[in-house]
Amino acid sequence: MSDTDSFIEEVSEEVRRDRLFNLLRRYGWIAAALVVLVVGGAAFNEYRKAADRTEAQARGDALLAALEQPEPGDALTAVASDGSVPALMLAAAALEEEGNYTAAADLLDQLAVMQDAPAIYRDVATLKSVMLRSDTLSADDKRTRLAGLAVPGNPLRLLAEEQLALVDIEAGDLEAANARLDMIEADAETSVGLRARVGQLKLAVGLTPDAPEATSDEGPVEGQ
């Protein structure tokens, strides 16, 4: 390489360095801001994860402490005041076991309208609330609440149909109840336990088919 070429290369390299320095001086704050944002975002995410872990651990400890009480219903209700789905379900179950059906149903109603809760939990809460309020809800209220569950594809469809059959029986509409119970019995997804309950319910309200009339093997008596 000649001295001229070497000189030109050194000048070009110096020009590139000057340009880079000018770019950094002009736009370097953007890169610095991006670095700060990335580092700050990572730190915030770690802080949030740590806070979530601490909160979850505290809630778990509170649930365990409440469950150790002789009658944990009230203690679990206090823990469930933050809207935790597991706490609400545990509190409702404890209150039901203690015989406080109204308070249990109130918690289930709260869970049933929580849009951020999984749909299956909302549906279970609706069904269970109707069952706990069977003596206080009107037939129309029960049908309204159960209608959204007794639809194709809902995992609780057959259980909701069973409750609707009970509503029909309470209303004196045995024909509608019988049709609904027949449908449950004929459904391939009906469990053994549910099919047995349907049979017992039919027997209890007199919806079983009439027994065929007895026939005699003997021929007609002569002279009659």
Side-chain angles (χ1 to χ4, degrees):
M1 180 181 295
S2 66
D3 293 340
T4 302
D5 293 337
S6 177
F7 174 75
I8 292 174
E9 185 176 349
E10 290 178 3
V11 171
S12 299
E13 184 66 25
E14 188 67 26
V15 170
R16 283 195 293 270
R17 282 199 297 267
D18 288 342
R19 287 179 178 175
L20 179 60
F21 177 76
N22 289 332
L23 287 173
L24 289 175
R25 185 173 59 183
R26 182 178 300 179
Y27 303 110
W29 65 273
I30 297 178
L34 289 175
V35 171
V36 171
L37 286 174
V38 170
V39 174
F44 176 76
N45 285 335
E46 289 301 320
Y47 168 78
R48 186 176 60 182
K49 290 178 182 178
D52 290 343
R53 285 195 297 268
T54 301
E55 182 181 355
Q57 183 176 357
R59 183 182 296 114
D61 292 341
L63 286 174
L64 290 175
L67 288 169
E68 292 176 355
Q69 301 295 323
E71 292 188 351
D74 291 339
L76 287 170
T77 300
V79 178
S81 61
D82 64 352
S84 167
V85 172
L88 283 169
M89 298 192 74
L90 284 172
L95 290 169
E96 179 188 0
E97 187 174 349
E98 294 168 12
N100 196 345
Y101 302 130
T102 300
D106 288 342
L107 290 180
L108 292 170
D109 288 342
Q110 179 182 339
L111 174 57
V113 296
M114 289 175 55
Q115 295 303 315
D116 56 339
I120 184 61
Y121 293 121
R122 298 199 306 269
D123 290 347
V124 168
T126 298
L127 178 65
K128 189 64 178 179
S129 176
V130 171
M131 295 170 67
L132 290 175
R133 298 186 190 275
S134 60
D135 295 334
T136 57
L137 286 177
S138 68
D140 289 339
D141 286 339
K142 292 177 185 177
R143 288 193 176 96
T144 299
R145 296 191 183 198
L146 294 169
L149 307 181
V151 294
N154 191 299
L156 304 178
R157 173 178 58 88
L158 294 172
L159 295 176
E161 291 286 3
E162 179 187 18
Q163 293 302 311
L164 286 169
L166 290 173
V167 174
D168 291 334
I169 292 172
E170 292 173 3
D173 193 348
L174 297 184
E175 182 177 353
N178 194 40
R180 201 180 295 274
L181 294 173
D182 284 344
M183 180 273 296
I184 296 174
E185 283 186 318
D187 197 295
E189 297 181 1
T190 300
S191 66
V192 175
L194 177 54
R195 186 169 282 110
R197 289 202 306 274
V198 167
Q200 292 169 359
L201 182 57
K202 281 187 169 185
L203 182 63
V205 296
L207 294 176
T208 53
D210 293 332
E213 293 183 2
T215 56
S216 174
D217 294 334
E218 298 179 358
V221 179
E222 293 183 1
Q224 293 185 356

